[in-house]
Amino acid sequence: MISSPSPPQPAGLSPSSLQACPPLLRVHDVTKRYGHGCPRCLELTGPEHETNACPICGAITACAGVSFELARGRTLGIVGESGSGKSTLLAALYGDIAPTFGEAYLGTFADGSRNIFAASAAERRQLRNFAMGIVYQHPQKGLNLRISAGGNVAERLMAVQWRRVADIRERAGGLLTRMEVPSARMDDLPAFFSGGMQQRVQIAKAVANEPPLLLLDEPTSGLDVSVQAGVLDLIRELQNQSGITLLIVSHDLGVIRLLTERTLVMKNGRVVESGLTDQILEDPQHPYTQLLVSSINP
């Protein structure tokens, strides 16, 4: 298991000032169901039933009743097995899917007073372009493989009114270099890059507009161990230098321990435990969390 360093301190913010800041993100009762559903869906699904599928109507409750707050400049991890609902939650927050019900408030949208799920299509585009970035588990989902690495970053910049070609190219080149993508490969197609390099290009694209919130969905899944370490170091460096707020989904407790300060544990679409990451990993309370921890500490 990866060792745990001291939690990174966001740039320019002291612990006392962080406590005084209102949360950047507030999520309340987010639920996503696939299928028409019935009145007993929530009652008959979840960890106690070991299933997401309603035995009456067959609807799938991907996640239900998820609530949390995330302070500016901090990091929250969401951990759980495949099918636990963690990636569904991220997809709903980014607008890739619509939740069945629930609310989420972002401090940079209407001063945190309006539910982002109720935003118009134009407002959602603004949120995705200015307020949030996302790094998908599979880089192919977050990249256009038919244009160059630099072109992918340029797309993101042009979405927020960058217009001078020289400025765009300089910014894209600087970001790719920072993410350890050789400048000589800036004009190459990412389709011919390794998985690790594709992930670095995706991170550069996601942070190009300096969004206050970065969502990471299994950022190291499927990568070689040595490549994982490099990607994790880049994420830690980014958080340390810019104070960006991170919401990280992973099934890997080593990633959660390394990158996050607080953690939610999900199973069968429900949050079964939450708290400080070190506390959860050192003294897990829920039987499922205990099983997860014991699997890496035999």
Side-chain angles (χ1 to χ4, degrees):
M1 184 172 63
I2 302 174
S3 61
S4 176
S6 300
Q9 292 299 319
L13 293 176
S14 66
S16 59
S17 66
L18 281 165
Q19 292 174 0
C21 289
L24 175 69
L25 178 65
R26 293 182 291 126
V27 173
H28 177 66
D29 201 26
V30 172
T31 300
K32 176 60 180 179
R33 183 178 61 230
Y34 293 97
H36 292 295
C38 70
R40 300 195 66 192
C41 279
L42 296 182
E43 174 191 350
L44 297 176
T45 59
E48 62 272 26
H49 299 284
E50 294 287 336
T51 184
N52 296 63
C54 177
I56 295 177
C57 68
I60 302 297
T61 300
C63 66
V66 179
S67 301
F68 63 88
E69 292 187 351
L70 179 55
R72 296 172 187 267
R74 311 310 278 182
T75 56
L76 176 69
I78 305 176
V79 67
E81 63 195 1
S82 179
S84 63
K86 55 191 189 301
S87 294
T88 297
L89 176 63
L90 246 63
L93 290 173
Y94 195 62
D96 287 338
I97 61 173
T100 305
F101 54 84
E103 301 172 342
Y105 300 89
L106 193 64
T108 55
F109 176 65
D111 294 324
S113 64
R114 287 182 55 202
N115 178 12
I116 63 173
F117 298 143
S120 68
E123 288 171 331
R124 288 298 299 179
R125 285 193 296 272
Q126 288 289 98
L127 281 166
R128 289 166 68 106
N129 289 335
F130 288 91
M132 291 185 278
I134 191 167
V135 176
Y136 294 100
Q137 176 179 356
H138 303 292
Q140 298 88 340
K141 187 174 180 180
L143 297 174
N144 185 339
L145 300 183
R146 295 172 296 178
I147 63 175
S148 68
N152 270 275
V153 180
E155 276 190 335
R156 180 86 169 158
L157 294 171
M158 292 173 68
V160 292
Q161 307 303 314
W162 284 60
R163 290 293 178 261
R164 292 188 68 246
V165 173
D167 293 341
I168 292 172
R169 189 167 179 83
E170 181 181 2
R171 172 70 171 163
L175 283 166
L176 290 170
T177 298
R178 183 179 178 187
M179 298 301 161
E180 299 183 3
V181 177
S183 58
R185 304 207 63 183
M186 178 177 171
D187 296 317
D188 292 351
L189 298 178
F192 301 108
F193 289 0
S194 67
M197 192 174 292
Q198 286 181 349
Q199 198 66 298
R200 294 187 188 106
V201 174
Q202 192 185 187
I203 295 171
K205 180 177 182 178
V207 303
N209 300 329
E210 299 182 350
L213 176 63
L214 181 62
L215 312 174
L216 298 112
D217 187 3
E218 301 280 8
T220 61
S221 179
L223 302 179
D224 292 339
V225 173
S226 60
V227 177
Q228 286 185 26
V231 171
L232 292 174
D233 283 345
L234 286 170
I235 294 170
R236 287 180 58 200
E237 179 186 351
L238 178 69
Q239 212 278 336
N240 279 323
Q241 291 183 354
S242 65
I244 195 170
T245 305
L246 301 179
L247 181 55
I248 304 168
V249 155
S250 182
H251 69 279
D252 187 334
L253 290 181
V255 171
I256 294 297
R257 181 187 287 275
L258 182 69
L259 295 179
T260 70
E261 298 150 310
R262 300 187 65 84
T263 296
L264 305 180
V265 182
M266 294 187 67
K267 179 173 173 57
N268 295 119
R270 310 305 203 274
V271 175
V272 297
E273 189 165 353
S274 65
L276 294 172
T277 298
D278 285 346
Q279 289 180 353
I280 285 179
L281 295 183
E282 296 300 328
D283 186 24
Q285 300 299 305
H286 192 275
Y288 175 64
T289 313
Q290 292 170 358
L291 181 63
L292 283 179
V293 172
S294 67
S295 70
I296 59 171
N297 291 314

